[in-house]
Amino acid sequence: MKIVILDRNGTLNVHREDFVKSDIEWTPLPGALEAVARLNHAGWHVVIASNQSGLGRGLFDMASLNAMHAKMHKMLAAVGGRVDAVFYCPHSPDENCECRKPKPGLFLQIAERYGVDLAHVPTAGDSLRDMQAGAAAGCEPHLLLTGMGAACRGIPLPPEYPPNTRVHEDLAAFVDFLLEREERNALNVAV
């Protein structure tokens, strides 16, 4: 099974310092939905792993989160894409749970649900904690220079990032990388 794990805020949709709290505030990043559709059309399953501490902080409720995801699914469908599942941590930072990134709990839940070994599964997000959680679960970390990742544009990655972190301009560039690598690998196998 070809599976890729994406962060949500700052990766698929615009990051907000005050949290995305409603479907009205959920705005896709340019080209992000189409990038997911390209992955799907190439046979990839796309799963989201997202901290949603706004639930634990009381900034929004489950109905609001469900409305955000319904909007996301509808907008993806309109461009021929889909997200297979959304795994999220509802806890606030002070709850010290195992599912809040940078801990790998969400990734381990995904591995269990899909019956996959996460070694070398690509994961993309816009923050250090996305990279740390993915790497801790054995995934291949890819930092996007969107959302919080924009702070890393034009500088070497700080040393706290996993050493094998690859950097891409945005989700579309990450998808270009994956699909081009897959094509190169297929050509090498065919030779």
Side-chain angles (χ1 to χ4, degrees), residues 49-70:
S50 180
N51 286 350
Q52 291 297 317
S53 69
L55 284 169
R57 297 171 197 252
L59 299 175
F60 55 85
D61 59 16
M62 276 306 303
S64 297
L65 184 63
N66 288 339
M68 288 180 233
H69 291 155

Side-chain angles (χ1 to χ4, degrees), residues 6-160:
L6 301 178
D7 178 46
R8 196 193 80 179
N9 296 335
T11 299
L12 277 177
N13 60 277
V14 174
H15 169 78
R16 292 176 56 115
E17 290 297 328
D18 65 340
F19 296 87
V20 177
K21 301 174 292 303
S22 71
D23 58 325
I24 294 166
E25 294 178 351
W26 195 93
T27 306
L29 286 166
L33 302 180
E34 293 81 2
V36 170
R38 288 176 42 226
L39 280 174
N40 297 147
H41 295 173
W44 288 83
H45 294 269
V46 178
V47 179
I48 291 177
S50 180
N51 286 350
Q52 291 297 317
S53 69
L55 284 169
R57 297 171 197 252
L59 299 175
F60 55 85
D61 59 16
M62 276 306 303
S64 297
L65 184 63
N66 288 339
M68 288 180 233
H69 291 155
K71 179 179 180 179
M72 176 187 72
H73 289 299
K74 183 177 180 180
M75 292 181 80
L76 276 164
V79 298
R82 74 180 182 289
V83 164
D84 290 12
V86 178
F87 289 74
Y88 62 90
C89 170
H91 306 108
S92 64
D94 59 348
E95 291 182 72
N96 198 28
C97 64
E98 291 301 313
C99 56
R100 181 173 170 75
K101 295 184 281 184
K103 292 183 180 175
L106 290 176
F107 291 84
L108 300 177
Q109 290 174 28
I110 292 166
E112 184 177 341
R113 167 86 61 86
Y114 285 89
V116 296
D117 178 0
L118 293 180
H120 311 296
V121 166
T123 184
D126 71 321
S127 73
L128 172 61
R129 67 178 172 243
D130 296 328
M131 302 303 98
Q132 291 170 327
C139 293
E140 176 186 293
H142 294 264
L143 178 68
L144 307 182
L145 298 177
T146 51
M148 292 185 288
C152 292
R153 181 174 277 112
I155 63 168
L157 280 184
E160 58 269 19

